[in-house]
Amino acid sequence: MLERCKESCGLCGDSPAIGADGTGSLDPRAIGNVVLNSGHAMPLVGFGTAGLGDMTATATKWALQAGYRLVDTAQAPEWYREDLVGEAIRAFLASGGATREELFITSKLHPRDHGAERAKAMLESSLTNLGVDYLDLFLLHYPACWGTLCGGVEPQGTWRDSWRALEELQRAGKVRSIGVSNFDVNELRELAEWARVEPAVVQRNSDIFSADKEARQLCESKRWQYEAYSSLGSQWLMRGHRENPVLTHADVKRIARKKGKSPAQVVLRWAIQHGQIVIPRSSNRARIAENLDVAGWTLGDDDMFALDALDGHPPFVQ
Ligand SMILES: NC(=O)c1ccc[n+]([C@@H]2O[C@H](COP(=O)([O-])OP(=O)(O)OC[C@H]3O[C@@H](n4cnc5c(N)ncnc54)[C@H](OP(=O)(O)O)[C@@H]3O)[C@@H](O)[C@H]2O)c1
């Protein structure tokens, strides 16, 4: 598994030129890429921007300066500020920090906007917010509305109509790769039978306690790249845990001490060695830099097995 990852992801790189305060930068080439089934390269580590609120532009700027080239956002105003991600990207491109080609920008269609024509119109709104003329990756955020997410709005179509629109947008060069998020295994199987263009990326929740093996295996068998969200465990806080059980687990802390790394770096490294792309989020400049520094070292089989054994065994909610 590690060998496969080393070969296909080209993990390499020397120690970072990053200060303890998170200033400075890592060479983005040291972070490694995967080549998607669309033929486009996607960085192994990206910056997640959910829940950053007014901090979004500043934190995204820090991430770009630290060497992140993949930025994950979405149209859903409930969690994301796509406009502020765009502000940071515009400023970084204008400062000569990178070219547009060097960045990998992901956004996601809100489920209230399912439907062929609506999906195409919403892609234009993302391009405007982000100040770019194409997206690297456009995902269907959810297969359908749930709870109060769509505020009583009846979507004009289903995820199948939106998928056809994404296929057209890709053909037109408006998006380079397309994919889905939060589709369950049955929905992924249906998509596989139904799609004219198969998804390049599937984004789902995965962490050491909830490793999402079945979906990951399906993705691997289809050559769909699996992208994990909330690898650092923040979903457990929404399930009633008072403190993050991923970053505080004794095995994670023990491995971190042994390797001279942080708990966050250990769980990100575990995910990468399982072939996942990761998109950690932080509002803290030093932690933003720390989360990128996960190449150039590896977890051995014993550490991987110890972390694998935690799947399905989250601590009890206190
Ligand atoms: N497709 C979807 O439905 C979906 C759902 C959820 C998330 N996502 C994407 O995935 C990204 C990541 O997931 P997430 O935002 O849920 O959370 P996450 O990355 O699992 O965790 C973020 C939390 O971890 C803390 N943290 C970050 N780095 C740390 C470090 N090195 N040491 C200790 N604590 C650290 C952050 O606090 P500080 O800010 O204080 O550092 C924050 O509270 C999102 O931002 C979003 O782009 C997608």
Side-chain angles (χ1 to χ4, degrees), residues 271-293:
I272 289 169
Q273 287 184 208
H274 273 305
Q276 304 179 21
I277 282 175
V278 291
I279 44 172
R281 173 250 313 180
S282 177
S283 55
N284 174 285
R285 190 167 195 173
R287 289 194 285 277
I288 289 171
E290 174 187 314
N291 296 342
L292 188 63
D293 185 14

Side-chain angles (χ1 to χ4, degrees), residues 111-112 114 141-147 149-150 155 159 181-183 187:
R112 90 163 74 81
H114 276 317
H141 203 154
Y142 287 95
C145 296
W146 51 270
L149 185 58
C150 296
W159 66 258
S181 176
N182 297 306
F183 274 46
E187 288 156 341

Side-chain angles (χ1 to χ4, degrees), residues 47-52 72-73 80 108 141-142 181-182 203 228-235 237-238 244 247 262 264-265 279-284 287 290-291:
F47 185 61
T49 64
L52 289 170
D72 182 84
T73 184
Y80 296 83
K108 314 185 192 85
H141 203 154
Y142 287 95
S181 176
N182 297 306
Q203 189 182 110
Y229 71 72
S230 306
S231 312
L232 301 181
S234 61
Q235 294 295 315
L237 300 175
M238 290 171 235
N244 184 329
L247 298 180
S262 71
Q265 288 172 320
I279 44 172
R281 173 250 313 180
S282 177
S283 55
N284 174 285
R287 289 194 285 277
E290 174 187 314
N291 296 342

Side-chain angles (χ1 to χ4, degrees), residues 46-59:
F47 185 61
T49 64
L52 289 170
D54 293 344
M55 273 291 294
T56 302
T58 304

Side-chain angles (χ1 to χ4, degrees), residues 153-306:
V153 171
E154 189 60 38
Q156 291 172 8
T158 68
W159 66 258
R160 294 164 198 80
D161 303 308
S162 300
W163 187 257
R164 288 287 181 253
L166 263 56
E167 292 176 333
E168 273 186 46
L169 289 167
Q170 188 183 27
R171 264 197 305 281
K174 296 267 186 180
V175 303
R176 293 204 160 163
S177 301
I178 56 179
V180 295
S181 176
N182 297 306
F183 274 46
D184 67 23
V185 168
N186 290 332
E187 288 156 341
L188 289 173
R189 291 210 171 96
E190 187 183 342
L191 177 62
E193 283 175 17
W194 196 78
R196 293 179 189 135
V197 178
E198 294 211 2
V201 174
V202 171
Q203 189 182 110
R204 285 175 51 89
N205 175 220
S206 168
D207 61 42
I208 50 171
F209 298 124
S210 177
D212 204 20
K213 260 195 204 138
E214 193 185 357
R216 276 170 39 210
Q217 280 164 359
L218 177 63
C219 289
E220 199 169 329
S221 72
K222 300 277 186 195
R223 242 202 110 215
W224 303 341
Q225 175 59 47
Y226 187 97
E227 182 179 34
Y229 71 72
S230 306
S231 312
L232 301 181
S234 61
Q235 294 295 315
W236 294 100
L237 300 175
M238 290 171 235
R239 293 173 195 145
H241 285 259
R242 256 184 268 132
E243 67 171 7
N244 184 329
V246 167
L247 298 180
T248 53
H249 192 275
D251 285 347
V252 175
K253 292 207 281 195
R254 174 182 58 75
I255 295 168
R257 269 194 308 277
K258 185 176 80 178
K259 302 292 290 184
K261 301 291 176 187
S262 71
Q265 288 172 320
V266 166
V267 296
L268 292 172
R269 186 67 219 172
W270 168 83
I272 289 169
Q273 287 184 208
H274 273 305
Q276 304 179 21
I277 282 175
V278 291
I279 44 172
R281 173 250 313 180
S282 177
S283 55
N284 174 285
R285 190 167 195 173
R287 289 194 285 277
I288 289 171
E290 174 187 314
N291 296 342
L292 188 63
D293 185 14
V294 287
W297 58 279
T298 55
L299 292 173
D301 287 347
D302 51 342
D303 296 332
M304 289 297 285
F305 291 146

